[in-house]
Amino acid sequence: MKILLLAFLGAAAGITALAQETNAPSSSTQISAGASFPLWSGDAPGALGKADKDIPTLTPFFPAADSAGRAAMVICPGGGYAGLAAHEGEGYAHWLASKGITCFVLKYRLGSAGYRYPVELEDGARAIRLVRSRAGEWKLNPNRIGIIGSSAGGHLASMVMTHFDAGNSNATDVIDRQSSRPDVAVLCYPVITMGKFAHQGSKKNLLGDNPPSALVEETSSELQVTKDSPPCFVWSTSDDTVVPIENTLEFAEALRKARVPFEVHVYEHGAHGLGLGSREYNPQKWHPWVAECTRWLKDQGFVN
């Protein structure tokens, strides 16, 4: 983490103490497809209450037994840090599970519920750590844990892939001993920057009004890429009127400069938020990016 993020965490002494005291969900806990489970067994660090909106969760989706591989993807739906778009969550899970990938749809905390950075990043990083910590139990390869996000969910995924750490081997919580680095990242029409080309709604919900310049830099993912960032597939459309195409282009350039393996696609047409190609799950209407990404995930060892 950067210095600014550490300062945020250090200032929240009560949150830090709570995180140290919180036990991980038991490894003996059984999970079933479509049944959500919390990222923390007690209150999540920084929780503002105990309502559903205060409890970040994962919802698992499993591939058919005869097609199951050993890879997993954490899915971050978009919604401007104000909501969570179902077609960018469950829809993606059905597609990826059909390719043999075990999926976990992340319900992360939102600015519309009063949560600001770094809470969203904490939820995303925790999801990667949790899945990796139970890889043996769920018959997964701990080196095949990826993340995919759309729009603001793409911003969260880009933060997870640029603000990871190796875990704390001395942590009381066994999940916190795991690395939060995803092995691949897929970013769909992503919000990337909090600077000139920011999506203003996402920026306000994540950072509040008039954030300091250092915080804007900290959360502008094109400025946070390093040589250790994981391989990335990123795409958008040239006529996206919601999130400027510069978000995708500047991030691709940052990946290139850092010599991070990546693939970028800019399609001529497609409305922002198109997901797989339509709001309903209909393979007949899938956008070309779906096939391209499937091929790329196979190249990365995520699809058999």
Side-chain angles (χ1 to χ4, degrees):
M1 293 291 180
K2 307 294 185 184
I3 294 174
L4 182 61
L5 177 56
L6 292 174
F8 258 70
L9 297 174
I15 296 175
T16 303
L18 177 59
Q20 293 173 339
E21 295 170 0
T22 302
N23 294 321
S26 171
S27 62
S28 63
T29 301
Q30 297 298 311
I31 63 171
S32 56
S36 301
F37 58 93
L39 295 183
W40 284 270
S41 60
D43 292 342
L48 301 176
K50 298 181 180 294
D52 184 68
K53 62 184 176 61
D54 303 304
I55 304 172
T57 66
L58 288 175
T59 302
F61 292 81
F62 300 105
D66 60 355
S67 66
R70 298 194 63 206
M73 293 289 283
V74 171
I75 302 171
C76 305
Y81 288 117
L84 298 172
H87 72 291
E88 296 168 349
E90 184 174 343
Y92 287 15
H94 287 306
W95 155 53
L96 291 166
S98 75
K99 304 303 178 184
I101 299 175
T102 300
C103 296
F104 299 87
V105 177
L106 174 62
K107 185 189 78 175
Y108 52 94
R109 288 171 286 178
L110 298 167
S112 56
Y115 291 98
R116 300 286 184 260
Y117 177 84
V119 168
E120 293 83 352
L121 175 57
E122 290 176 338
D123 291 350
R126 175 73 173 189
I128 296 292
R129 295 190 211 274
L130 193 159
V131 174
R132 183 165 281 133
S133 75
R134 297 180 68 174
E137 174 189 353
W138 295 335
K139 297 181 173 59
L140 302 173
N141 182 339
N143 297 316
R144 291 291 183 271
I145 311 297
I147 194 165
I148 179 172
S150 302
S151 192
H155 181 256
L156 175 54
S158 75
M159 288 200 297
V160 174
M161 69 172 283
T162 55
H163 291 83
F164 56 84
D165 63 62
N168 179 0
S169 61
N170 297 317
T172 302
D173 186 335
V174 296
I175 292 175
D176 284 338
R177 299 172 191 170
Q178 300 292 324
S179 168
S180 63
R181 180 186 183 274
D183 296 298
V184 299
V186 176
L187 310 181
C188 309
Y189 42 89
V191 176
I192 291 292
T193 188
M194 293 291 125
K196 178 180 178 181
F197 297 107
H199 177 252
Q200 294 302 317
S202 297
K203 180 178 180 178
K204 181 175 181 179
N205 284 325
L206 182 69
L207 303 180
D209 294 319
N210 302 313
S213 59
L215 185 57
V216 169
E217 179 178 345
E218 174 78 8
T219 54
S220 292
S221 294
E222 80 280 10
L223 303 178
Q224 306 303 325
V225 175
T226 71
K227 63 180 180 59
D228 297 318
S229 298
C232 183
F233 182 100
V234 54
W235 71 274
S236 189
T237 61
S238 61
D239 58 2
D240 188 331
T241 60
V242 177
V243 175
I245 189 64
E246 284 82 0
N247 283 260
T248 289
L249 298 178
E250 290 185 358
F251 194 67
E253 178 63 7
L255 294 169
R256 187 193 68 81
K257 287 182 176 179
R259 299 184 181 276
V260 174
F262 76 97
E263 190 164 310
V264 59
H265 292 258
V266 177
Y267 299 96
E268 184 175 1
H269 297 301
H272 187 79
L274 62 85
L276 297 174
S278 63
R279 292 297 174 118
E280 71 274 14
Y281 187 80
N282 184 351
Q284 299 303 315
K285 296 183 178 180
W286 281 358
H287 190 276
W289 81 267
V290 180
E292 293 289 351
C293 188
T294 300
R295 184 262 313 151
W296 183 82
L297 286 169
K298 185 174 182 178
D299 292 344
Q300 305 304 313
F302 272 64
V303 173
N304 293 332

Coordinates of all heavy atoms in Angstrom, one line a residue, residues 38 48 86 146 163 167:
P38 N -20.5 -14.1 4.3 CA -19.7 -12.9 4.5 C -18.2 -13.0 4.4 O -17.7 -14.1 4.6 CB -20.1 -12.6 6.0 CG -20.4 -13.9 6.6 CD -21.0 -14.7 5.5
L48 N -20.5 0.4 9.4 CA -21.3 1.5 10.0 C -22.6 1.0 10.6 O -23.3 1.8 11.1 CB -21.6 2.5 8.9 CG -20.4 3.1 8.2 CD1 -20.8 4.0 7.0 CD2 -19.5 3.9 9.2
A86 N -26.7 -6.3 -11.5 CA -26.8 -7.8 -11.4 C -26.3 -8.5 -12.7 O -25.6 -9.5 -12.6 CB -28.3 -8.2 -11.2
G146 N -8.3 -15.0 -10.1 CA -8.4 -13.8 -10.8 C -9.5 -12.9 -10.4 O -10.3 -13.2 -9.5
H163 N -2.8 -2.4 -5.9 CA -2.5 -2.1 -4.5 C -2.4 -3.4 -3.6 O -2.8 -3.4 -2.5 CB -3.6 -1.2 -3.9 CG -3.6 0.1 -4.5 ND1 -4.2 0.5 -5.7 CD2 -3.1 1.3 -4.0 CE1 -4.1 1.8 -5.9 NE2 -3.5 2.3 -4.9
G167 N 0.4 -10.3 2.1 CA -0.2 -10.8 3.3 C 0.7 -10.7 4.5 O 1.9 -10.4 4.4

